[in-house]
């Protein structure tokens, strides 16, 4: 492809709203343009990368035995009402009406449509198992679209859904997809980790997220430094310290102290000159089951995913000031368990706190020397906190490390969640009606491309790994007005093309410096610079984007050399 014939509007400066590298670079390299918040145009270079990711995903899904289908983006509300998600999905679901005033939505995910598709035509266990996938545009009206393709509102996803007659078969397919995802992300040249993820109400241990490791990732991951344990921090556990075996020190007398305007853990611990570990943080929560208190050690953070599970609630959220006042008789910031008249769930971490500090349920007052059992009781102890760097691994004697990741893929065993509510059944060997057992498996196509840039770039631009690069080779003829140079460029182009290599040739009448800058920005893995001096010796300069130094290659050896790099 010739640069002059291709629409590659590179620009010098990234727009102000581009916070992360991948977003900045994709705009600067002329790959994407914003149409509206979270909605993008893909320009030719950007689309080529998207297709590279898509093709790897498609090849590996097909190899794994899945079949490609295509479902509509506009989905009638009836299906979503059947699954009961029409009312609970909230504002991420973009709803619209047609000319007859019928309700529709833009599909943010397709469990309903596929379950409907399969229940209509699959009657017998003999037609199972099935794994159907599509690569299609999704719409989610994200509350904070940002980071370019990373969190868009309109984005392309590969979503697969499998249908089975038995649990064993569903679990076999889950493993098959797990292996397939490993292959896909390895082929994309990413550094990633498969981590255990929360399964919500469905429970069980069949949910993994595939996380590309990058500082800018929105997810925190806990990973053992010794064994293979790795989990999203939402789900990660540690060995339970102190459970039932707390070593009590000398208990001192419970005393109320004045703490004017001291509310946060930092303020109170600073004011009383105690470490945050001595504080028993008391959070008042609201839920569908009413208000309750949550206790955890001052230096830890609450994990609401775990809390929701242990509180057995549909939803939980920090109570507003009014509710806090009603429950504790005090303004927010002074809640404590002593004398509190509501249910209390406590994190295991407070079992070891001796002579702790808590709010006194009174404005500007705290208690010191608070001791569990003597001064208050918890209704229930549970694991409610986020793990932190250095926590014990729950599986071995290693330690947990916390790192950041970008979720590019997610696999999940759904069980009969959708088939039961939507009455999607088949006849088993005994002629008995049974709901399908399902799994679902997603990959963000654009997010995968963006994640690759987060891992592979330098200050000058993108450094594409060969499998995702828009082209394999970038030819830069130094002077387009020199016929010898252009003839050589043309011949090399033809030779490479014949060997199945994808080439962009910068035939613009520009200074070499400008062309090199754009080449670095666009990030094609191999650059060939063709200049008259080297040509006299039958040589061409070859430079790998990821390396600083160039080397001279004999013209006759170029194709072989590049073929080696490509594979
Ligand atoms: P997140 O937690 O990041 O919002 P999710 O759990 O909502 O993701 P899934 O429903 O599991 O995502 O969707 C499958 C895949 O689709 C994700 O792993 C991700 O790669 C991609 N994806 C999800 N939301 C977006 C988005 N807003 N923009 C781009 N890709 C997305
Ligand atoms: Mg997810």
């Amino acid at each position: 492809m010739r640069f002059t014939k291709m629409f590659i509007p590179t620009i010098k400066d990234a727009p102000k709203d581009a916070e992360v590298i991948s977003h900045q670079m994709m705009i600067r390299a002329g790959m994407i343009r914003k149409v509206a918040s979270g909605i993008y145009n893909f320009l030719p270079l950007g689309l080529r990368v998207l297709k590279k990711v898509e093709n790897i995903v498609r090849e590996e899904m097909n190899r794994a035995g899945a079949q490609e289908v295509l479902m509509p983006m506009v989905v009638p509300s009836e299906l979503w009402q059947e699954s009961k998600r029409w009312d609970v999905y909230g504002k991420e679901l973009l709803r619209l009406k047609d000319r007859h005033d019928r309700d529709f939505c833009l599909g943010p995910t397709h469990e309903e449509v596929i379950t409907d598709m399969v229940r209509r035509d699959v009657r017998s266990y003999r037609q199972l198992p099935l794994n159907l996938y599509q690569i299609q545009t999704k719409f989610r009206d994200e509350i904070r679209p940002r980071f370019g393709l990373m969190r868009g509102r309109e984005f392309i996803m590969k979503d697969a859904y499998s249908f089975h007659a038995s649990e064993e078969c569903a679990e076999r397919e889950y493993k098959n997809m797990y292996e397939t995802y490993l292959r896909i992300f390895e082929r994309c040249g990413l550094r990633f980790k498969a981590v255990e993820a929360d399964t919500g109400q469905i429970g069980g241990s069949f949910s993994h997220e595939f996380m590309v490791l990058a500082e800018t990732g929105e997810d925190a991951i806990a990973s053992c430094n010794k064994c293979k344990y790795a989990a999203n921090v939402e789900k990660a556990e540690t060995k339970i310290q102190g459970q039932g075996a707390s070593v009590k020190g000398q208990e001192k007398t419970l005393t109320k102290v004045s703490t004017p305007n001291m509310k946060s853990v930092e303020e109170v611990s600073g004011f009383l000159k105690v470490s945050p570990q001595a504080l028993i943080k008391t959070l008042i929560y609201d839920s569908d089951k009413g208000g309750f208190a949550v206790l955890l050690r001052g230096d830890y953070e609450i994990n609401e995913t775990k809390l929701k599970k242990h509180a057995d609630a549909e939803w939980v959220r920090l109570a507003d000031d009014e509710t806090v006042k009603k429950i504790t008789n005090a303004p927010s910031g002074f809640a404590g368990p002593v004398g509190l008249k509501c249910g209390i769930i406590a994190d295991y971490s407070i079992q070891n706190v001796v002579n702790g500090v808590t709010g006194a349920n009174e404005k500007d007052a705290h208690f010191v020397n608070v001791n569990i059992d003597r001064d208050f009781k918890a209704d229930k102890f549970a694991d409610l906190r986020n793990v932190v760097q250095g926590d014990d691994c729950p599986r071995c004697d290693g330690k947990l490390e916390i790192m950041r990741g970008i979720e590019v893929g997610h696999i999940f065993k759904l069980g009969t969640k959708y088939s039961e509510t939507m009455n999607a059944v088949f006849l088993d060997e005994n002629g008995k009606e049974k709901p399908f057992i399902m799994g679902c498996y997603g990959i963000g196509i654009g997010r995968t491309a963006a994640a690759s840039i987060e891992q592979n770039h330098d200050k000058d631009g993108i450094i594409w790994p060969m499998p995702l690069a828009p082209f394999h080779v970038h030819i830069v003829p130094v002077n387009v007005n020199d016929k010898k140079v252009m003839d050589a460029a043309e011949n090399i182009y033809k030779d490479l093309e014949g060997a199945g290599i994808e080439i962009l040739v910068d035939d613009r009448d520009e200074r070499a410096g400008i062309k090199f800058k754009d080449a670095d920005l666009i990030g094609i893995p191999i650059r060939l610079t063709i200049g008259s001096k080297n040509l006299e010796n039958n040589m061409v300069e070859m430079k790998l984007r990821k390396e600083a130094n160039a080397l001279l290659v004999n013209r006759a050896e170029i194709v072989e050399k590049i073929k080696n790099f490509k594979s």
Side-chain angles (χ1 to χ4, degrees):
M1 189 64 85
R2 281 163 223 286
F3 208 118
T4 52
K5 297 269 159 22
M6 204 171 170
F7 181 40
I8 313 178
T10 58
I11 52 176
K12 211 161 145 249
D13 297 309
K16 283 200 186 67
D17 69 342
E19 296 167 65
V20 295
I21 292 283
S22 57
H23 188 189
Q24 294 164 2
M25 300 257 177
M26 285 182 122
I27 301 259
R28 286 185 52 212
M31 302 181 71
I32 58 168
R33 288 291 182 262
K34 181 163 121 182
V35 178
S37 170
I39 301 178
Y40 290 88
N41 280 328
F42 284 88
L43 277 43
L45 273 187
L47 187 62
R48 284 184 76 97
V49 173
L50 213 60
K51 293 288 170 200
K52 294 276 167 106
V53 179
E54 265 187 44
N55 286 341
I56 291 174
V57 170
R58 183 174 282 114
E59 273 177 31
E60 293 300 335
M61 289 302 290
N62 291 347
R63 187 212 297 264
Q67 301 172 62
E68 188 167 0
V69 295
L70 187 57
M71 290 177 261
M73 189 187 179
V74 177
V75 179
S77 66
E78 285 80 4
L79 290 176
W80 279 70
Q81 258 145 7
E82 244 193 286
S83 72
K84 312 235 164 19
R85 284 209 288 185
W86 184 258
D87 295 323
V88 298
Y89 207 87
K91 291 203 162 178
E92 267 191 32
L93 190 67
L94 187 70
R95 296 150 212 254
L96 41 127
K97 284 188 191 290
D98 72 2
R99 62 166 74 198
H100 306 294
D101 224 24
R102 290 188 197 115
D103 286 314
F104 288 83
C105 65
L106 294 187
T109 173
H110 278 69
E111 283 81 3
E112 282 82 357
V113 182
I114 196 107
T115 304
D116 179 55
M117 183 203 289
V118 169
R119 75 177 165 183
R120 285 164 186 266
D121 286 291
V122 177
R123 295 254 152 270
S124 157
Y125 73 96
R126 285 197 198 88
Q127 293 164 277
L128 298 173
L130 262 184
N131 186 341
L132 303 172
Y133 77 97
Q134 63 175 345
I135 298 176
Q136 183 248 22
T137 300
K138 297 276 180 279
F139 195 95
R140 294 182 182 178
D141 205 353
E142 298 270 358
I143 184 164
R144 271 216 296 160
R146 57 191 181 145
F147 303 159
L149 300 190
M150 210 76 94
R151 185 166 297 284
R153 294 198 293 165
E154 183 175 305
F155 58 96
I156 297 175
M157 196 201 286
K158 184 284 295 177
D159 46 328
Y161 306 87
S162 68
F163 295 79
H164 308 270
S166 71
E167 295 286 342
E168 302 76 66
C169 183
E171 283 162 23
R172 224 178 300 129
E173 187 60 11
Y174 183 90
K175 290 200 185 78
N176 180 28
M177 284 295 108
Y178 183 96
E179 301 294 329
T180 301
Y181 274 41
L182 293 182
R183 268 203 304 276
I184 287 172
F185 295 120
E186 265 157 31
R187 276 189 64 185
C188 288
L190 293 160
R191 292 185 301 285
F192 68 97
K193 239 180 210 305
V195 309
E196 293 178 16
D198 181 51
T199 45
Q201 310 115 301
I202 291 175
S205 58
F206 289 95
S207 176
H208 282 86
E209 288 163 341
F210 292 75
M211 297 281 191
V212 169
L213 303 176
E215 273 310 307
T216 44
E218 290 185 283
D219 286 272
I221 309 164
S223 170
C224 178
N225 63 3
K226 226 171 166 180
C227 75
K228 283 197 168 146
Y229 179 75
N232 191 314
V233 163
E234 278 180 2
K235 148 112 205 253
E237 294 158 21
T238 175
K239 284 209 178 85
I240 292 157
Q241 311 104 325
Q243 192 184 13
S246 54
V247 189
K248 289 266 155 94
Q250 189 65 43
E251 292 185 353
K252 298 185 192 160
T253 313
L254 181 71
T255 312
K256 195 188 284 180
V257 295
S258 164
T259 50
N261 275 323
M262 302 294 155
K263 294 181 179 180
S264 69
V265 168
E266 295 71 38
E267 286 165 351
V268 176
S269 63
F271 183 73
L272 296 176
K273 302 199 168 48
V274 294
S275 84
Q277 295 179 356
L279 263 64
I280 297 174
K281 186 153 68 175
T282 308
L283 304 167
I284 306 296
Y285 265 87
D286 220 350
S287 77
D288 51 308
K289 301 255 165 90
F292 62 96
V294 181
L295 309 182
L296 76 164
R297 220 172 71 181
D299 56 331
Y300 289 134
E301 268 176 38
I302 185 74
N303 178 315
E304 290 189 351
T305 308
K306 293 178 180 178
L307 178 62
K308 201 169 118 195
K309 202 176 291 167
H310 290 295
D312 212 8
E314 292 272 329
W315 57 267
V316 295
R317 69 168 167 258
L318 268 178
D320 56 20
D321 290 349
E322 204 177 311
T323 314
V324 171
K325 180 100 206 214
K326 225 188 296 168
I327 291 178
T328 69
N329 274 325
S332 296
F334 300 99
V338 182
L340 193 63
K341 302 248 175 338
C342 71
I344 296 178
I345 306 186
D347 181 67
Y348 291 124
S349 59
I350 69 153
Q351 289 181 316
N352 283 341
V353 179
V354 182
N355 297 320
V357 175
T358 72
N361 299 320
E362 188 181 312
K363 187 173 174 350
D364 296 341
H366 277 77
F367 279 125
V368 298
N369 302 330
V370 178
N371 284 291
I372 187 167
D373 292 338
R374 186 191 71 179
D375 303 322
F376 72 91
K377 287 206 166 31
D379 298 307
K380 179 178 180 179
F381 282 95
D383 169 26
L384 301 175
R385 70 173 177 91
N386 281 340
V387 298
V388 296
Q389 178 82 19
D391 267 337
D392 293 327
C393 172
R395 303 270 166 83
C396 76
D397 59 357
K399 298 281 182 206
L400 296 181
E401 284 173 24
I402 308 291
M403 47 190 85
R404 300 211 66 86
I406 300 165
E407 181 201 317
V408 287
H410 190 179
I411 59 175
F412 200 98
K413 186 171 157 231
L414 288 169
T416 55
K417 182 176 152 87
Y418 292 92
S419 50
E420 271 186 38
T421 45
M422 295 181 66
N423 194 31
V425 293
F426 65 96
L427 295 177
D428 74 2
E429 287 134 305
N430 306 313
K432 221 176 129 215
E433 241 179 29
K434 286 210 174 129
F436 295 107
I437 297 160
M438 293 170 59
C440 69
Y441 321 92
I443 291 180
I445 301 292
R447 193 185 276 186
T448 300
S452 171
I453 299 178
E454 292 296 325
Q455 280 191 339
N456 305 294
H457 65 266
D458 62 14
K459 68 177 192 343
D460 299 319
I462 305 168
I463 307 176
W464 288 112
M466 199 58 94
L468 301 193
F471 293 95
H472 304 131
V473 174
H474 193 140
I475 298 181
V476 180
V478 174
N479 180 356
V480 295
N481 301 313
D482 183 331
K483 185 164 180 324
K484 271 200 198 129
V485 166
M486 285 315 279
D487 286 348
E490 196 67 33
N491 287 334
I492 293 169
Y493 185 105
K494 284 210 180 104
D495 290 348
L496 288 172
E497 200 176 35
I501 290 158
E502 298 164 6
I503 316 118
L504 178 67
V505 53
D506 194 344
D507 55 341
R508 293 176 299 171
D509 188 5
E510 290 278 7
R511 281 189 296 116
I514 288 178
K515 295 190 191 184
F516 290 155
K517 264 212 159 62
D518 274 347
D520 281 348
L521 177 59
I522 292 166
I524 293 167
I526 300 172
R527 189 182 82 198
L528 292 180
T529 307
I530 302 176
S532 51
K533 267 223 190 85
N534 284 329
L535 276 183
E536 278 168 22
N537 304 319
N538 229 8
M539 297 293 225
V540 162
E541 186 196 277
M542 175 157 119
K543 184 182 169 298
L544 300 187
R545 177 63 183 87
K546 64 178 183 213
E547 277 167 23
N549 298 323
L551 54 144
L552 286 178
V553 182
N554 195 297
R555 270 183 68 173
E557 291 167 9
I558 291 173
V559 175
E560 265 325 291
K561 267 239 152 66
I562 288 178
K563 267 175 135 175
N564 285 342
F565 278 117
K566 199 183 148 239
S567 54

